[in-house]
Amino acid sequence: MQNTQTLNVYGAETQRFKTLLKVIAYNVEICYNKLDVVIYSCMGSETMKRIVLASKSPRRRELIKLISDDVLCVAGCNEEYIPDNMQVEDIPSHLAYLKAKSVAGAYPEDAVIGSDTVVICDGRLFLKPESEEDAFRMLSSLSGKTHKVITGCAIICGEREEVFSSTTLVEFYPLSEEEIRAYIGTKEPMDKAGAYGIQGKGGLFVKGIVGDYQNVVGLPVAELSRKLKEFM
């Protein structure tokens, strides 16, 4: 009986010790986070200028890490107003600027980036499909042809602004209706311009590209990194 009581006491003490360690670790983490904020504030904007990505795209949020791990990601506006007289090739830069501008006012000391990707085939603009039938129409149009993928980028830092775009040519193999329907069934096309993702199963349709691969994924990080150096 005495041994059982001893074991119970030992077990309770061990559990209390583990709980105490968790409380200490939690408070240390809170103090560390607060200290990090204080250090950032004290160092000033000249040495701690941040990159702010105005995008909710998981692909862009992953690609921007190739430039820096210290990036603040926020959702930009969803407005996609396109003037009637605008050239098709200018639309992605225009939309990218709208996204960056919608966020820049809240981060006047930081470099805010907006980006938008479109697909153009036979002079027609392909954005994200609105339905599975819309995706089927897009992919059928791209089948066996070469199309353009244009990603527009806008950088705003206070009063300074720069807008540019990058173009990649992508050639598709001829696609059967069965292939297209099966791909749409994966749901992968539904949130992507042109209804395909080159980094996913959609890459199986690609015969070749001319230009920046990352641009097709959604962000021309090589060119963007060089442009950012002028702002940082």
Side-chain angles (χ1 to χ4, degrees):
M1 186 68 176
Q2 185 176 0
N3 290 339
T4 302
Q5 291 177 340
T6 302
L7 287 174
N8 288 338
V9 171
Y10 176 76
E13 290 298 326
T14 301
Q15 186 59 42
R16 280 195 289 270
F17 181 68
K18 288 181 179 180
T19 301
L20 179 61
L21 287 178
K22 289 181 181 178
V23 171
I24 293 173
Y26 176 74
N27 283 284
V28 167
E29 182 178 2
I30 291 176
C31 292
Y32 175 81
N33 290 336
K34 289 182 177 179
L35 179 62
D36 188 51
V37 171
V38 171
I39 291 174
Y40 176 84
S41 302
C42 293
M43 292 186 72
S45 61
E46 291 301 317
T47 57
M48 292 294 290
K49 190 183 298 294
R50 288 181 301 181
I51 297 173
V52 179
L53 179 65
S55 176
K56 58 183 179 181
S57 164
R59 296 171 294 281
R60 292 196 181 100
R61 291 186 173 198
E62 189 64 30
L63 286 171
I64 197 70
K65 293 179 182 179
L66 296 174
I67 297 176
S68 173
D69 290 324
D70 185 20
V71 178
L72 176 64
C73 296
V74 297
C77 72
N78 292 321
E79 179 185 4
E80 292 195 343
Y81 166 72
I82 302 173
D84 293 335
N85 60 345
M86 179 168 285
Q87 296 294 317
V88 177
E89 287 80 3
D90 295 333
I91 290 175
S93 295
H94 166 72
L95 296 177
Y97 180 78
L98 291 180
K99 292 179 180 179
K101 195 68 174 178
S102 70
V103 170
Y107 304 94
E109 302 297 326
D110 301 315
V112 179
I113 301 169
S115 183
D116 198 88
T117 301
V118 303
V119 169
I120 301 173
C121 184
D122 295 333
R124 291 181 294 167
L125 178 68
F126 295 164
L127 300 174
K128 296 175 183 178
E130 297 180 356
S131 65
E132 291 190 355
E133 283 307 308
D134 194 27
F136 181 82
R137 176 188 63 81
M138 291 183 184
L139 291 168
S140 297
S141 298
L142 299 178
S143 173
K145 297 178 182 177
T146 297
H147 60 270
K148 293 180 181 178
V149 178
I150 303 178
T151 297
C153 292
I155 307 172
I156 301 177
C157 186
E159 298 298 319
R160 297 179 60 195
E161 299 179 350
E162 180 161 354
V163 180
F164 67 95
S165 65
S166 178
T167 301
T168 303
L169 299 179
V170 181
E171 182 181 3
F172 265 25
Y173 286 106
L175 307 177
S176 67
E177 179 177 348
E178 183 181 3
E179 284 181 291
I180 296 174
R181 294 290 184 191
Y183 179 53
I184 293 173
T186 68
K187 306 300 181 183
E188 182 180 284
M190 303 312 297
D191 66 340
K192 297 172 179 64
Y196 77 94
I198 195 172
Q199 74 280 13
K201 292 184 179 297
L204 298 176
F205 299 159
V206 177
K207 186 175 182 179
I209 72 170
V210 178
D212 184 356
Y213 167 82
Q214 305 288 17
N215 183 58
V216 184
V217 178
L219 198 65
V221 288
E223 184 174 2
L224 178 61
S225 65
R226 285 158 177 77
K227 298 284 187 183
L228 277 172
K229 289 177 182 178
E230 301 172 12
F231 285 81
M232 306 304 281

